Amino acid sequence: MTNTTTTTIAANSTTGTTGTTGEDTAGTGSAAATEAPDRPGRIAVYAAPAPKAPLELTTVPRRALGAHDILIDVRYAGICHSDIHQVDEDWGPGIFPMVPGHEIAGVVAAVGSAVSRWSAGDRVGVGCFVDSCRECDNCRAGLQQYCTGGDGIVLTYNGRGRDGAPTYGGYARQLVVDEHYALRIPDALPLDSAAPLLCAGITVYSPLSHWGAGPGRKVAVVGLGGLGHLGVKLARAKGAEVTVLSQSLGKREDGLRLGAHDYRATSDPATFTELAGRFDLILNTVSADLDLSAYLGLLRTDGTLVQLGAPARAVSVFAHSLLMGRRSIAGSMIGSLAETQEMLDLCAEHGIGAEIEVIPAERINEAYRRVLASDVRYRFVIDAATI
């Protein structure tokens, strides 16, 4: 049984119906190529034409299928908060028109002449990057997300490929990507609820693995949102004791349903007294300004607080919060290709997917507004057949 909740919103509707969707039924929603894939073409997308502009239906160039490329019929694309940040240029100048989307699930439609890993019909996913230098120490160590060669990793969108051309993301009918940067989505995972795993899922899974979450370890997840809800599911699947730390108890029922053993409100000062020195690992999934020194006090000796959210302002801590108990504060960014595949396989084994609301593409701008208002539980996913 898949441990997910899916709400599907039809075009022009105002209410959702809970159900199970996301299978790649042959002929349903397929974005079959209308142009020869070995020649350059154009694809239908939703793109932001300028910074902060609403997204609109248009077309962008599609590169010709290279020898090691695969052409993917996109079935679903998750909406990540970072999509909004990049459209709004919160993190620096963007490349426009911008086609967001780095939580991509689909089916292989065609393969290049030298492709050995994939065949037409395979279920695949693409995450936050589509290339790396493959030669630096990090790439050779299988840590492609921290590539230091050249300009670093090639982002799935709002980046430039090695040829200098802009990259376009998953709010699209199709995508061309190097075969080595696609992941296998196991048959046990519905494609719609698997899509957010390609960013949100791996963002929490990588630190859980690196810092040894498992039996006998106590993990706290700060925030129960798009990242946090998957942090709870994955930490529980790895055998850890899981506590949610949220501003209020408003999502307590959800947190416990998703696998948390405990759920505490950080607005209650007693939380920091009662839980002092309790956790081996804290994942901070929120971007809000928090008193990190207070959260460090919840760690055991040698415990680590991992920052996953990206606040707009610099964070600060009192040195004594680190010195007392040899505590650490660290960061983590998405995950490697191997880690991502490991995470997808674990999710298939345990029936884990994101809690999603599936929407037609025409409601992307509405979804952006709702994300900013924290009005989603817990991830929007675009049905690419509606593009």
Side-chain angles (χ1 to χ4, degrees):
M1 182 176 68
T2 302
N3 182 20
T4 62
T5 298
T6 301
T7 300
T8 303
I9 306 296
N12 300 316
S13 75
T14 57
T15 59
T17 302
T18 301
T20 302
T21 65
E23 287 310 311
D24 47 310
T25 306
T28 301
S30 174
T34 56
E35 300 167 299
D38 58 349
R39 301 177 188 173
R42 299 190 71 81
I43 52 174
V45 300
Y46 265 76
K52 297 181 171 61
L55 276 70
E56 58 188 37
L57 181 63
T58 185
T59 63
V60 295
R62 172 188 57 74
R63 76 171 186 258
L65 199 67
H68 288 280
D69 287 338
I70 60 175
L71 176 67
I72 300 171
D73 284 347
V74 178
R75 298 294 172 83
Y76 296 96
I79 292 178
C80 180
H81 202 148
S82 62
D83 297 345
I84 303 173
H85 283 304
Q86 295 194 71
V87 168
D88 289 349
E89 293 192 321
D90 293 335
W91 297 339
I95 302 170
F96 294 89
M98 184 186 296
V99 182
H102 55 211
E103 297 180 339
I104 305 163
V107 177
V108 176
V111 301
S113 60
V115 168
S116 60
R117 302 163 67 94
W118 308 106
S119 300
D122 287 347
R123 307 165 88 247
V124 294
V126 177
C128 297
F129 58 96
V130 291
D131 205 353
S132 61
C133 81
R134 315 184 197 198
E135 297 177 351
C136 69
D137 289 346
N138 285 340
C139 283
R140 290 182 181 275
L143 297 170
Q144 301 90 351
Q145 75 272 35
Y146 301 123
C147 174
T148 58
D151 295 323
I153 56 172
V154 175
L155 298 175
T156 302
Y157 72 91
N158 196 28
R160 293 194 180 275
R162 301 302 177 195
D163 59 0
T167 56
Y168 300 114
Y171 296 10
R173 293 299 300 271
Q174 293 184 317
L175 183 75
V176 175
V177 65
D178 184 287
E179 65 169 323
H180 298 93
Y181 292 81
L183 288 306
R184 179 181 59 84
I185 297 180
D187 291 342
L189 291 178
L191 289 177
D192 56 0
S193 59
L197 300 177
L198 278 305
C199 174
I202 187 57
T203 295
V204 292
Y205 182 83
S206 182
L208 287 171
S209 293
H210 183 75
W211 277 279
R217 305 275 281 178
K218 293 180 170 64
V219 174
V221 177
V222 181
L224 192 69
L227 292 180
H229 89 283
L230 287 171
V232 170
K233 289 188 177 190
L234 289 166
R236 180 65 181 261
K238 291 177 76 65
E241 181 181 307
V242 187
T243 298
V244 175
L245 301 174
S246 186
Q247 187 175 13
S248 75
L249 297 178
K251 297 180 182 178
R252 183 177 184 275
E253 184 177 339
D254 273 5
L256 298 178
R257 173 179 61 83
L258 296 171
H261 297 86
D262 196 6
Y263 195 109
R264 298 294 188 97
T266 55
S267 56
D268 181 356
T271 293
F272 292 91
T273 302
E274 295 171 3
L275 300 183
R278 179 175 180 82
F279 301 109
D280 300 287
L281 177 66
I282 299 175
L283 301 185
N284 182 16
T285 71
V286 304
S287 298
D289 292 328
L290 299 179
D291 180 0
L292 293 186
S293 295
Y295 286 85
L296 287 167
L298 303 178
L299 291 170
R300 291 177 170 177
T301 300
D302 289 328
T304 302
L305 185 155
V306 182
Q307 183 69 33
L308 301 177
R313 293 187 295 228
V315 298
S316 61
V317 298
F318 289 110
H320 282 283
S321 300
L322 300 171
L323 299 175
M324 300 300 291
R326 202 162 56 193
R327 299 169 177 130
S328 302
I329 185 167
S332 181
M333 185 179 76
I334 49 177
S336 69
L337 294 169
E339 274 184 319
T340 306
Q341 188 62 64
E342 181 181 282
M343 178 267 305
L344 290 169
D345 293 341
L346 180 77
C347 287
E349 178 184 350
H350 290 270
I352 293 173
E355 306 287 305
I356 61 172
E357 183 175 324
V358 179
I359 61 167
E362 66 184 44
R363 303 189 73 163
I364 291 172
N365 295 306
E366 174 191 341
Y368 274 26
R369 292 190 292 271
R370 287 180 57 191
V371 168
L372 293 173
S374 299
D375 180 25
V376 58
R377 294 194 182 185
Y378 284 90
R379 209 72 165 179
F380 285 113
V381 172
I382 302 160
D383 181 352
T386 63
I387 297 176

